[in-house]
Amino acid sequence: HLELRRWGLVPFWAKDPKIGNRLINARAEGVEQKPSFRTAFRRHRCLVPADGFYEWAPANGFSGSAPAGRRKQPFYIRRSDAQVFAMAGLYETWHAGQADEIASFTILTTDANALLQKIHARMPVILDARSWKPWLDPKTPASELQPLLVPADPAGFEAVPVTTLVNSPAVDEPRCREPIRDSIER
């Protein structure tokens, strides 16, 4: 089923929900051992549907850091055919003795594939449709899940440079995804 959740995992045991601000991503490497993620990895795996995601490249090219006064260049990474894809996620529900609960999630990340390496060192784990069932099945052993947590095949994806308007959370509009010049395709 589909449901809305707050981005930034708040573990069930957390004393303060603000911990979720630091847990928006979970590194696939070691996720099953990290206290913040291990229970969710065993019991609460989900798919996070998306039509794309953003990464920022340094302003002086695709390596090093941006020169003083120069902004990083945002890129919108999407499938070339504009189809929705699914990222590997974990979810939790936090109560901590309060009447209101917080339903939260995080996205798993892995090393960047050949396309994304030009922009950023990491990327979300993108699961192909054949992996959805084992990923979602709580009976699937961790030994069978780890091979799924690899960089996606770059074929069929593109990285589109977009306006720096996307740098502001207050701006949520279609032009944040519109190309400003040629894309990087794989």
Side-chain angles (χ1 to χ4, degrees):
H1 66 276
L2 188 63
E3 61 184 65
L4 293 176
R5 289 186 166 260
R6 181 174 111 175
W7 188 19
L9 190 84
V10 181
F12 70 91
W13 47 260
K15 297 200 182 339
D16 186 344
K18 290 180 186 167
I19 191 173
N21 297 336
R22 297 187 318 266
L23 302 176
I24 61 170
N25 294 327
R27 286 179 164 263
E29 309 84 6
V31 70
E32 59 191 296
Q33 287 90 29
K34 300 265 184 192
S36 296
F37 305 117
R38 66 179 167 216
T39 300
F41 183 72
R42 283 195 303 264
R43 300 184 191 145
H44 301 139
R45 295 184 298 272
C46 63
L47 299 174
V48 180
D51 60 2
F53 61 94
Y54 297 99
E55 288 295 352
W56 284 257
N60 64 339
F62 300 125
S63 62
S65 59
R70 300 228 11 229
R71 288 183 157 177
K72 291 183 176 187
Q73 174 60 56
F75 283 81
Y76 183 62
I77 294 82
R78 63 186 182 193
R79 285 180 45 126
S80 304
D81 61 8
Q83 293 297 304
V84 173
F85 53 89
M87 298 180 283
L90 305 175
Y91 70 92
E92 285 283 7
T93 302
W94 181 81
H95 298 280
Q98 298 185 18
D100 292 335
E101 64 183 29
I102 296 175
S104 64
F105 77 100
T106 190
I107 296 170
L108 275 77
T109 66
T110 189
D111 292 330
N113 62 21
L115 173 66
L116 270 287
Q117 286 173 352
K118 300 170 186 173
I119 299 168
H120 198 272
R122 301 206 49 90
M123 68 178 294
V125 173
I126 298 171
L127 298 172
D128 63 42
R130 294 176 307 235
S131 302
W132 296 358
K133 186 174 180 179
W135 177 252
L136 294 173
D137 186 348
K139 294 178 184 151
T140 304
S143 61
E144 292 179 29
L145 295 173
Q146 283 301 328
L148 305 178
L149 305 180
V150 295
D153 182 349
F157 282 87
E158 62 185 358
V160 179
V162 294
T163 176
T164 54
L165 286 173
V166 74
N167 294 350
S168 171
V171 180
D172 184 13
E173 55 187 71
R175 66 183 170 146
C176 288
R177 295 185 307 268
E178 292 174 4
I180 58 170
R181 59 179 190 270
D182 294 335
S183 64
I184 300 171
E185 293 189 36
R186 187 69 186 158

